[in-house]
Amino acid sequence: LIIWNIKNRIDVTVSSELKLEDELISALCLGISDYCRKLGFNKVVIGLSGGIDSSVVASLATLALGKENVLG
């Protein structure tokens, strides 16, 4: 996984941005699922405040672990 500052690039296209976003989402989901697997967690409970950060965490956890394994 390579992450770079896209603000310094002038020739970034929409397809490149989507590819980078997909790579980041995949990496984050891999990290979540790997962490849960290593600790022996089958399900997770997420505290939701209604803000964008908790919404992103809930979405990533659902992608990584499956909707039946996330409670929030």
Side-chain angles (χ1 to χ4, degrees):
L1 174 67
I2 298 172
I3 301 174
W4 67 89
N5 185 354
I6 63 172
K7 290 180 183 177
N8 294 334
R9 289 190 51 149
I10 296 172
D11 61 342
V12 174
T13 62
V14 173
S15 62
S16 294
E17 289 178 20
L18 290 176
K19 186 175 187 286
L20 177 61
E21 288 174 0
D22 291 340
E23 289 180 9
L24 290 172
I25 290 169
S26 295
L28 290 169
C29 288
L30 177 64
I32 292 169
S33 61
D34 190 45
Y35 181 80
C36 290
R37 182 184 53 79
K38 286 180 180 178
L39 294 177
F41 297 149
N42 295 323
K43 297 183 181 215
V44 295
V45 177
I46 301 174
L48 300 174
S49 67
I52 188 70
D53 54 342
S54 59
S55 300
V56 170
V57 170
S59 296
L60 290 170
T62 301
L63 287 172
L65 305 172
K67 67 179 180 178
E68 65 279 356
N69 297 318
V70 179
L71 180 65

